């Protein structure tokens, strides 16, 4: 296994998106415990790559870490939450739209409240939403003409990409962290802090269904027909049918997943976590049965386009310490660095690679480098 290229992003690239044609990659930084504010302000940026030529095309300075970023299907636009040089606020007051060259197209103000209660309707009943609500998540529609975003005070909003006009808005009571569009762009799916996953009609803003998955989903994977959801409290890994929100299966888990992935043929469902808790790295079939599992910690997982291979990012991995051990192999230590493993869909390890790059001031194992 050889790397075509690597690029020092200055901060761990913990948020990313790939254009639908597989040509472009956009990354953005996030850390649960960021380093000193001056360092973050100086090194946080959106980075844009051409995967076909394995080249870094441009960077856009952020000044803070963010929780979401997206690229349009054709790779012509990038959208992200934005605050500027203010690192202590997770939910941002603005959304920025960048073009293919990294130029600012517009900056939309999300949190424009004057502090008064916001009148809304929930299930046909008038109520009030919290007044302050920055944005966590952004997601382009399949045709790129619309941009959806979710806020800390429970709003799921759709903007016109060109005009910034609000096309629809739905109140979902709690923080909206994950968003996905249906392939035809008619429906939005959202995971919300009230433990529910929702389906919303884009044109009318009407809630089509809601399903309680036993905990707030901070991470999920969505395919054509399914949503693979992990509850924040770790009560279960759940597979939902997107047509009606019905639970296909649930698997009990003692920790929240750090990575979820659905194969392209929708027959393999992967989950990994970084706590050492069961089921570790696990692959399920369409009925929720464990096909194979490994008791190893990991922070990310992704299937190849043909669904034949599963790539897993581990943290930490055991690497040679450099010390001598007379009469035996060199001793190893758990250094806080990333490592990646490639498995076949049936669990055979194809290769393993330690990414022994210099750690930054975060020192949690994130290498701060994007590899192509």
């Amino acid at each position: 296994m050889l790397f075509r290229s690597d690029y020092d992003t200055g901060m761990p690239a913990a948020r990313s998106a790939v254009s639908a044609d597989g040509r472009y990659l956009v990354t953005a930084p996030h850390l649960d415990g960021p380093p000193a504010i001056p360092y973050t302000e100086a090194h946080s940026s959106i980075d844009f790559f051409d995967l076909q030529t394995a080249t870094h095309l441009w960077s856009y300075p952020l000044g803070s870490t963010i929780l979401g970023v997206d690229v349009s299907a054709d790779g012509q636009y990038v959208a992200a939450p934005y605050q500027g040089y203010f690192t202590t606020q997770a939910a941002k007051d603005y959304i920025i739209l960048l073009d293919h060259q990294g130029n600012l197209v517009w900056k939309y103000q999300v949190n424009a409240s004057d502090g008064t209660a916001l009148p809304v309707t929930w299930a046909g009943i008038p109520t009030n939403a919290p007044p302050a609500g920055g944005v966590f998540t952004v997601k382009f529609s399949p045709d790129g003409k619309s941009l959806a975003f979710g806020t800390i005070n429970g709003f799921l909003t759709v903007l016109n990409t060109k005009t910034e006009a609000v096309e629809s808005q739905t109140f979902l009571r709690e923080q909206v962290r994950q968003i996905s569009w249906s392939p035809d762009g008619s429906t939005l799916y959202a995971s919300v802090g009230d433990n529910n996953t929702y389906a919303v009609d884009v044109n009318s803003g009407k809630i089509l269904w809601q399903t309680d998955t036993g905990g707030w989903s901070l991470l999920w994977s969505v395919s054509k027909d399914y949503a693979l959801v992990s509850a924040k409290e770790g009560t279960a890994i759940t597979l939902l049918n997107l047509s009606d929100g019905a639970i296909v299966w649930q698997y009990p888990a003692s920790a929240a997943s750090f990575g979820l992935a659905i194969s392209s043929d929708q027959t393999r469902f992967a989950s990994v976590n970084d706590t050492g808790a069961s089921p570790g790295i696990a692959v399920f079939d369409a009925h929720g049965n464990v096909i194979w599992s490994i008791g190893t910690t990991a922070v990310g997982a992704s299937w190849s386009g043909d669904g034949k291979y599963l790539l897993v990012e581990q943290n930490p991995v055991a690497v040679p310490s450099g010390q001598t051990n007379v009469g035996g192999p060199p001793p190893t230590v758990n250094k806080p660095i990333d490592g990646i493993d490639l498995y076949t869909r049936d669990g055979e390890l194809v290769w393993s690679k330690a990414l022994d790059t210099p750690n930054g001031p975060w020192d949690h194992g994130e290498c701060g480098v994007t590899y192509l």
Side-chain angles (χ1 to χ4, degrees), residues 23-223:
R23 175 70 184 271
Y24 299 103
L25 166 71
V26 61
T27 67
H30 177 70
L31 286 170
D32 290 330
I37 289 177
Y39 183 93
T40 302
E41 292 179 344
H43 292 84
S44 295
S45 65
I46 295 172
D47 289 289
F48 194 68
F49 302 87
D50 186 327
L51 295 178
Q52 182 172 311
T53 60
T55 55
H56 177 265
L57 299 180
W58 51 260
S59 293
Y60 186 89
L62 285 173
S64 64
T65 59
I66 58 177
L67 284 165
V69 66
D70 197 30
V71 58
S72 60
D74 58 5
Q76 296 305 302
Y77 293 100
V78 168
Y82 180 78
Q83 194 68 32
Y85 295 103
F86 188 75
T87 62
T88 59
Q89 182 173 315
K92 310 303 183 182
D93 290 343
Y94 299 90
I95 296 170
I96 54 173
L97 183 74
L98 307 174
D99 66 15
H100 187 71
Q101 287 74 42
N103 301 309
L104 181 66
V105 179
W106 49 251
K107 184 170 74 170
Y108 178 85
Q109 187 171 3
V110 175
N111 193 11
S113 172
D114 60 1
T116 60
L118 301 174
V120 293
T121 299
W122 169 254
I125 302 173
T127 184
N128 290 322
V135 63
F136 284 122
T137 307
V138 292
K139 187 69 67 175
F140 284 102
S141 61
D143 61 10
K145 295 181 179 179
S146 300
L147 179 70
F149 66 88
T151 66
I152 193 172
N153 60 341
F155 284 98
L156 177 63
T157 305
V158 179
L159 297 178
N160 184 289
T161 303
K162 288 187 176 181
T163 68
E164 305 173 58
V166 175
E167 296 179 338
S168 69
Q169 189 172 71
T170 305
F171 179 58
L172 298 178
R173 298 192 295 183
E174 298 288 346
Q175 295 183 28
V176 180
R177 280 293 185 94
Q178 298 289 345
I179 299 173
S180 183
W181 292 78
S182 62
D184 63 2
S186 66
T187 307
L188 273 169
Y189 307 102
S191 68
V192 182
D194 66 352
N195 295 353
N196 284 287
T197 297
Y198 290 85
V200 176
D201 181 84
V202 173
N203 293 326
S204 67
K206 179 182 177 181
I207 296 173
L208 302 176
W209 54 256
Q210 66 184 79
T211 301
D212 189 334
T213 56
W216 178 14
S217 170
L218 293 181
L219 186 70
W220 70 2
S221 178
V222 178
S223 65

